[in-house]
Amino acid sequence: MTDPAPHDPAAVALELERLRRSVEVGFAKTDGALALLVQRSDQTDARLADHEQRLDGLERARWPLPSLAALVSLTALAVTLWQATAAH
C-alpha cells in the first residue's frame, strides 16, 4: 500500500488515526503502571498497619523502665534500712 500525498485529507486522517492509536497504547501502559502502584501502596499500607499493631502489642507487654527503676530503688532502700537496724 502506498501512502497518499502529505496534503491529501486521507493522509491527514491516516496520520491522525496512527497518532490516536499511539496515544491509546500510551494511556493503557500508563493506566497499568498506575494500577500496579496503587496495588503496591495498598499492600504497603496493610503491612504498615500490621507492624504498628505488633509494635503496640510489644509495648504493652514490656515493663516500663521508670517503674522498674523506682521498684529497685525502694527495694534497695528497704534492704539498707533493714541491715542498719539489724546491726544495732
Side-chain angles (χ1 to χ4, degrees):
M1 178 173 145
T2 60
D3 287 335
H7 298 294
D8 184 21
V12 173
L14 180 63
E15 288 302 318
L16 285 175
E17 178 59 28
R18 287 180 185 165
L19 182 61
R20 187 181 67 80
R21 269 188 297 183
S22 295
V23 170
E24 284 180 354
V25 168
F27 280 150
K29 287 180 182 179
T30 303
D31 188 40
L34 288 175
L36 180 62
L37 289 174
V38 168
Q39 179 185 12
R40 287 183 181 172
S41 175
D42 291 344
Q43 291 172 349
T44 302
D45 288 345
R47 289 182 67 194
L48 182 60
D50 178 50
H51 287 167
E52 286 179 0
Q53 181 182 9
R54 290 171 51 198
L55 183 60
D56 288 343
L58 289 172
E59 287 175 345
R60 272 188 256 113
R62 70 172 177 88
W63 271 73
L65 292 178
S67 299
L68 184 60
L71 181 63
V72 169
S73 303
L74 288 176
T75 304
L77 179 63
V79 168
T80 303
L81 291 176
W82 176 71
Q83 286 179 348
T85 56
H88 291 300

